[in-house]
Amino acid sequence: MKLSRRDFLVASGLMAGLVTGGKLLEGRAWAYPYSSEFEYAELDPEEVAWEAYRNYFQKWCCSTVLEGLVSQLKKRVGGPWRDFPVDAYRWAHGGLAGWGALCGTLTGAGIVIGLVNRDTDTAEAMVNDLAFFYSYTPLPKYEPRKILKAEIQNMSVAGTPVCHISVGRWMAAEGVAFLTEERAERCARLSADVARRTAEILNEWYRNGKKYTPKNRVLYNLLHNGITSQNNCMDCHGQNVPHPEETYATLKK
Amino acid sequence: MKLSRRDFLVASGLMAGLVTGGKLLEGRAWAYPYSSEFEYAELDPEEVAWEAYRNYFQKWCCSTVLEGLVSQLKKRVGGPWRDFPVDAYRWAHGGLAGWGALCGTLTGAGIVIGLVNRDTDTAEAMVNDLAFFYSYTPLPKYEPRKILKAEIQNMSVAGTPVCHISVGRWMAAEGVAFLTEERAERCARLSADVARRTAEILNEWYRNGKKYTPKNRVLYNLLHNGITSQNNCMDCHGQNVPHPEETYATLKK
């Protein structure tokens, strides 16, 4: 029996519901503490943003977000931050070496969030909130104290943490190509936005005795769609937007 | 003037060609050396794979690939690997906290590749080759010495490093939902495949005096499509597979 794609999506959701009994991925299941040598101290988000912005043009998205945060942590905390190799993560730029998957700013931010946490659940809640900020805020909104590359006019809402879609939507809004000074300026300012928001999230947690109140529900609660994704299945799987044919060519039951 | 989406894609490509003069992103432009405390030693890929496989069910994709590699580096090299917090990267699972973007196995692999390198270009070439392996090899092909969760029957070709598509294609091939023991088994074996391939790539580089011959051209050479992506634009942007309407709603010139 061949299932339609939509039948498959519905069936997946139902099976997910049965398997979980409505509860398996709720709450704090599977989270655990871990140790780390890396400490945090309250940072100045504006300094973090400027360092991320100005280093983008050499380090690109992931490493420059790390530079924004780690340059300040070296001064405020020291210790193992002094030897932290921000450039060792440059491969994460462009959604993984230019493949256009996950925006490297979120990889950079996640690395610092993970290192200063001691709890997988809290780190994940912060990364999740940052992904919501990235996906649903008009960006870039950072205004550099000195413009280093180009004047730009537009913000756009990415709708996703995926690099290719995020940068594509902004390029369409601005009417420019990828290899332009304007696009580089946009990604530099976006890096500043993500680095600054990360510092704000970590400051809030630090000031609150290292407790964090999530602002959004984690998406890996899979009860609604039965797969790792946002809850907007029909954006791509709807009738007017069919999935590439080969995807479900192997579907069987 | 309103451009069609396809016009925009073509124009982006042309503009990219003009900006680059056909050369800007060729070769080793913008690469640079960096320092790192983390050393490498030749690892047993089968041990790496087994450690990645058996730890998946607690640590999930990113941290378990790290565990596979780091557990061996602790024994073979020691030094800063002894304090390396593999669990600090658990947030990268499920394509970033379940958002379905970049498969966390590649984040984990990239972290080790970046730390043992001293050169952004070499690290990127290795990550790029690993992304090609991930995207175009039928996986999972790892056969555990002891099956810990479930028997599974199928391999699938992801065609992309994106978690949601990769796991979705395998689920369709196997005919199972996300929250099943079979899907967990698949991601555990896939983690073993990526960890093992990473060890093989790093071993090759190490035996060759820390020189690496790339097996694939890097994708961030943007001459062909003018944006961060694979060179398969028409899979999503073709006439039969229109892009979600809102994507180019802001397009203007």
Side-chain angles (χ1 to χ4, degrees), chain A residues 34-54:
Chain A
Y34 57 90
S35 63
S36 168
E37 293 187 297
F38 291 85
E39 298 293 342
Y40 189 70
E42 204 167 330
L43 303 180
D44 178 347
E46 293 308 319
E47 285 302 312
V48 168
W50 170 247
E51 290 299 321
Y53 171 74
R54 76 180 186 87

Side-chain angles (χ1 to χ4, degrees), chain B residues 1-75:
Chain B
M1 174 189 149
K2 268 274 188 200
L3 289 182
S4 74
R5 184 165 25 87
R6 191 178 290 258
D7 288 343
F8 179 75
L9 290 170
V10 171
S12 301
L14 286 175
M15 287 173 69
L18 290 172
V19 171
T20 60
K23 274 194 261 183
L24 191 63
L25 287 176
E26 289 279 2
R28 306 200 151 232
W30 299 337
Y32 53 86
Y34 57 89
S35 62
S36 168
E37 292 187 297
F38 291 85
E39 299 293 342
Y40 189 71
E42 204 166 330
L43 303 180
D44 178 346
E46 293 308 319
E47 286 303 312
V48 167
W50 170 247
E51 290 298 321
Y53 171 75
R54 76 180 186 87
N55 281 286
Y56 172 84
F57 305 100
Q58 183 193 17
K59 297 183 183 294
W60 298 340
C61 46
C62 178
S63 286
T64 211
V65 167
L66 286 168
E67 181 66 29
L69 294 158
V70 173
S71 61
Q72 304 299 304
L73 288 164
K74 281 179 181 171
K75 294 179 194 167

Side-chain angles (χ1 to χ4, degrees), chain B residues 131-149:
Chain B
F132 269 98
F133 166 80
Y134 181 100
S135 300
Y136 299 113
T137 309
L139 296 175
K141 62 180 180 179
Y142 177 68
E143 296 192 7
R145 52 185 78 159
K146 181 183 175 207
I147 294 174
L148 295 179
K149 189 67 83 176

Side-chain angles (χ1 to χ4, degrees), chain A residues 19-20 30 32 60 87-88 90-91 93 98-99 110 114 124 128 154 163-164 169 173 178-179 219 222 226 228 252, chain B residues 19-20 30 32 60 87-88 90-91 93 99 110 114 124 128 163-164 169 173 178-179 219 222 226 228-229 247 252:
Chain A
V19 171
T20 61
W30 298 339
Y32 53 86
W60 298 339
D87 296 305
R90 198 184 193 233
W91 52 267
H93 79 85
W99 283 63
E124 176 138 349
N128 185 56
N154 290 276
C163 162
H164 175 84
R169 287 180 173 169
F178 189 85
L179 294 174
L219 287 180
L222 295 153
T228 46
K252 59 188 177 184
Chain B
V19 171
T20 60
W30 299 337
Y32 53 86
W60 298 340
D87 297 305
R90 198 187 194 229
W91 52 268
H93 78 87
W99 282 64
E124 176 138 350
N128 185 56
C163 161
H164 175 84
R169 286 179 176 172
F178 189 85
L179 295 174
L219 287 181
L222 296 152
T228 46
S229 74
T247 301
K252 59 187 176 183

